[in-house]
Amino acid sequence: MNILSFDIEEWYVMQKNFPATANLAQYDKILAELLDALAELEIKATFFCVGQMAKEHSHIIKKIKESGHEIGCHSHNHIWLNKLTRSEVEEDTRAAIDALQQCIGEKITSYRAPAFSIGESNKWVFELLAKNGITKDSSIFPAARDFGGFPHFCSQIPTIIESSAGQIKEFPIVMTSLMGRQLAFSGGGYFRFFPKSFILNQALRRSYNIFYFHILDFVKERLNISDAEYESYFREKPTLFARTKRNIKSNLGKGGAWKKFLSLLSALQFCSLEEAARTINWDKTPKVTLI
Ligand SMILES: [Zn+2]
């Protein structure tokens, strides 16, 4: 099973935080090409959308929905959840789900945190998600990571998380072991960096994979942001080390990403989170209690 997912945020996040770099017409074009490619191969995916997109760019969310894909929630303001208090997360989640539900006229049941920002310190988020009608989540990145990560999460396959407000079906990101380190291969900078043959080989070895992409993965130009924009968005000092690291991660392998993505689409069979959740026998999956 290969799940295909996208985080939809650029129209709002880039315009708000990096106005000089934002190029909405280019994001529109990439999305149109993406939806065409998926339609041609009859692939359904899950698009985790920022709630503010439903308010300010609702035509984008509607277009994705009309193409037959699942709309999930990717927070309201795209602020890392581990930088927010419990009541702020609750408010953000409710606002996002309300906005998205109003936009598409259907219940939102899938969630992904911005930058996979649920970990040991804020695992209480699952309780808030369940309370707000979320039944499926893909926020767990079971390795160390900037701005998030949950290295001690016990599983890299679909798992039931028990919370006091109900169960969540968790779809963690899959890791591979390379030179003693746990690394992802199925999205973001990892996908852009590794050759297609390596990614395909990793995917074929497992019966469960989840791929994750952003529109920015397919923008060929380098992302240039000022120190002030950096500090305000990433909420950390723009030291030379931090900026260089982020610069490499944001711009790595951008030139070949679209071509690699298209060839992967033809090489594997993909489905959405909701399709996967229907297929899995949840009586046989691991169960964990995090709260
Ligand atoms: Zn995001």
Side-chain angles (χ1 to χ4, degrees), residues 7-9 13 48 50 74 78 80 112-116 214 233:
D7 295 351
I8 296 295
E9 64 204 36
V13 170
F48 295 101
V50 163
H74 190 45
H78 205 265
W80 311 168
R112 175 175 289 147
F116 303 105
H214 288 81
Y233 185 66

Side-chain angles (χ1 to χ4, degrees), residues 2-18:
N2 299 297
I3 301 171
L4 185 59
S5 69
F6 301 90
D7 295 351
I8 296 295
E9 64 204 36
E10 283 80 1
W11 289 257
Y12 169 74
V13 170
M14 293 300 290
Q15 198 171 41
K16 182 167 186 282
N17 300 290
F18 313 109

Side-chain angles (χ1 to χ4, degrees), residues 21 24 45 60 80 90 101 111 136 141 150 161 164 175 194 199-200 218 224 229 245 260 265 286 290:
T21 317
L24 273 54
I60 301 290
W80 311 168
E90 188 154 27
Q101 286 183 167
Y111 186 88
K136 309 185 287 313
F141 189 95
F150 201 152
I161 293 177
S164 56
M175 300 289 137
F194 286 125
I199 296 168
L200 198 55
F218 307 127
N224 282 316
E229 287 174 332
K245 201 164 91 171
K260 199 194 294 181
L265 277 193
L290 286 185

Side-chain angles (χ1 to χ4, degrees), residues 53-64:
M53 291 278 305
K55 297 210 160 224
E56 297 179 19
H57 306 278
S58 60
H59 65 288
I60 301 290
I61 314 286
K62 287 188 171 129
K63 190 173 169 188
I64 298 169

Side-chain angles (χ1 to χ4, degrees), residues 58 84 93 118 133 140 198 282:
S58 60
L84 297 175
T93 306
I118 304 180
I140 289 191
F198 176 82
W282 292 96

